[in-house]
Amino acid sequence: RLQKSVGEALAQLGVPHWAELVLPQGLSIDFAVHEPDCKIAIEVDGPSHFMQMCHGEYYPKGYTNLKHRLLHALGWRVLVVPFYEWDALGDAA
């Protein structure tokens, strides 16, 4: 549901993108914007990608950080859409 909502917002904004792009290295990207001189990976990270600390803040889990670092090492600019920020937008999203 979250990923679908982000995809709909990208479409409404007219952003050309591919959903669920699988790279030759085996990594998948939620949404990819790939132009000749620019590769942007948009990762929609739901609750399973985070640990919630006792004071309520969220921190990405290790595998999530690793995926983002691997994408970056492959030349992708990684933009993360955390569920708690998307949800906070409410109907504005």
Side-chain angles (χ1 to χ4, degrees):
R1 185 176 85 88
L2 169 64
Q3 192 165 325
K4 181 180 177 186
S5 178
V6 173
E8 289 170 353
L10 289 170
Q12 286 177 351
L13 292 170
V15 177
H17 62 278
W18 292 269
E20 295 298 330
L21 177 68
V22 178
L23 301 178
Q25 295 83 1
L27 296 170
S28 65
I29 297 173
D30 294 333
F31 297 102
V33 178
H34 191 234
E35 300 294 329
D37 58 344
C38 180
K39 298 189 303 185
I40 300 172
I42 301 171
E43 287 294 294
V44 181
D45 290 345
S48 66
H49 291 268
F50 296 92
M51 300 175 293
Q52 187 172 15
M53 306 311 278
C54 58
H55 53 306
E57 289 189 37
Y58 292 96
Y59 291 94
K61 291 183 178 178
Y63 69 87
T64 299
N65 279 330
L66 176 61
K67 180 180 179 185
H68 296 168
R69 287 181 185 151
L70 289 171
L71 289 170
H72 182 75
L74 291 170
W76 290 84
R77 178 172 180 207
V78 180
L79 302 178
V80 179
V81 180
F83 76 97
Y84 54 88
E85 290 183 5
W86 188 260
D87 290 349
L89 294 173
D91 291 334

